[in-house]
Amino acid sequence: MTTHPAARPVRTTPEGLLWEPSERWVRGRKGDVTVVDSRHPVLVWEPHLPVPQYAFPREDVRTDLLRPAEHPPTGTHTGSQIFYDLHASDGPVVNAAWTFPADDLAGHIAFEWFRRWDSGLDHWYEEEEEIFVHPRDPHKRVDALVSSRHVQVAVEGTLVADTVSPVLLFETSLPTRYYIPRGDVRLELFEPTDHRTACPYKGRARYWTWRGDGDVPRNVLWSYPDPLPAVAVVRELLAFYNEAVDITVDGQELERPVTPFTASLTT
């Protein structure tokens, strides 16, 4: 008879943190220095953040590179009191790490992941795959499915895309995104920009902005030139923010959704 390990439910601390152990091999680097190398990380969800973070057993961290923070932002990270500056290469990284004030997580150290804040490590890997922005949430899914739906996109009343061979990308808690072949998009109506983003589920994206008039946010159109393997089918396809354009699917015009991206879309 084959036995299987019991499921590991998400646990809650009195401080309001949710956490669960992970079996992924996680490594973090600053420059050429490996700061974290752990086969027993813990995923932690803070009450005010929609995405998880990792905390690592102290023995899996180069604690010799950590110094007590000179200006710790005490009280952040759900009441954390202990912060560290990282001294690995190219000068210190202030408040790069901390410990959560929870008995369940005693002996664990967490690190910033968000490179845009210049407060974390340079590269993170789960197994041999580089991960961007934040750890992947095991309770969320991203599925990219080839479709034959008729998708049309209009910007300020101008039809800019018309296809019957889209790829529909379904991501937990977000509206369906419609990825369209380049040949079915009037790309001459858009101008490439130097804006770039990264996603832990899809990879790095590049953007285009509407050339015409009207109240249209910048960087309304994007593409993943080299997506992560799980969504490789969207390679070089183009997608629009549903929040800012008019999308019609099989003859039915969709309502513009309000999402966490809505506030960040600026004209």
Side-chain angles (χ1 to χ4, degrees):
M1 178 178 177
T2 301
T3 60
H4 299 278
R8 297 178 173 178
V10 177
R11 307 166 198 182
T12 306
T13 75
E15 297 79 9
L17 296 166
L18 303 178
W19 69 276
E20 67 176 32
S22 172
E23 296 183 355
R24 301 189 183 200
W25 177 23
V26 180
R27 301 180 305 291
R29 293 171 50 195
K30 181 63 177 176
D32 295 329
V33 179
T34 298
V35 179
V36 177
D37 188 335
S38 180
R39 288 170 171 79
H40 303 284
V42 172
L43 282 166
V44 182
W45 289 262
E46 294 192 60
H48 64 288
L49 288 178
V51 298
Q53 304 167 76
Y54 274 124
F56 306 96
R58 184 175 288 269
E59 58 268 25
D60 295 340
V61 175
R62 286 282 305 274
T63 54
D64 58 303
L65 302 176
L66 301 179
R67 306 284 187 275
E70 293 188 8
H71 304 286
T74 54
T76 61
H77 292 297
T78 318
S80 296
Q81 300 295 313
I82 299 174
F83 288 79
Y84 300 97
D85 295 340
L86 173 66
H87 295 257
S89 62
D90 300 327
V93 181
V94 300
N95 301 313
W98 70 91
T99 62
F100 286 110
D103 290 341
D104 287 358
L105 300 173
H108 288 72
I109 298 176
F111 285 80
E112 293 286 4
W113 274 53
F114 300 95
R115 294 187 66 190
R116 63 180 179 272
W117 293 346
D118 195 29
S119 58
L121 303 188
D122 293 333
H123 300 281
W124 286 97
Y125 301 88
E126 291 179 346
E127 301 300 330
E128 298 302 325
E129 190 168 296
E130 185 169 7
I131 306 301
F132 308 101
V133 187
H134 61 78
R136 293 169 178 167
D137 190 327
H139 303 285
K140 293 185 178 180
R141 287 186 63 91
V142 177
D143 296 300
L145 303 179
V146 175
S147 177
S148 60
R149 291 179 184 248
H150 185 193
V151 177
Q152 297 172 298
V153 181
V155 177
E156 293 293 310
T158 299
L159 185 67
V160 299
D162 191 335
T163 188
V164 291
S165 55
V167 170
L168 275 56
L169 191 138
F170 301 92
E171 185 169 350
T172 304
S173 302
L174 288 175
T176 304
R177 302 300 190 189
Y178 299 90
Y179 283 79
I180 301 172
R182 284 179 177 242
D184 294 336
V185 178
R186 296 180 63 188
L187 199 54
E188 74 276 4
L189 300 177
F190 298 86
E191 178 180 357
T193 74
D194 59 2
H195 184 59
R196 300 291 185 271
T197 62
C199 171
Y201 306 101
K202 300 184 286 292
R204 298 183 184 275
R206 58 171 303 194
Y207 288 77
W208 288 260
T209 284
W210 171 243
R211 290 182 183 271
D213 297 327
D215 189 24
V216 182
R218 288 185 55 78
N219 303 307
V220 72
L221 174 64
W222 73 86
S223 178
Y224 288 94
D226 188 21
L228 295 176
V231 293
V233 69
V234 304
R235 184 185 305 273
E236 296 291 358
L237 303 186
L238 297 158
F240 295 82
Y241 276 110
N242 310 41
E243 299 88 335
V245 301
D246 297 314
I247 298 179
T248 299
V249 179
D250 292 337
Q252 180 178 356
E253 186 172 342
L254 307 183
E255 293 186 9
R256 293 189 182 185
V258 176
T259 73
F261 296 100
T262 301
S264 64
L265 293 172
T266 59
T267 56

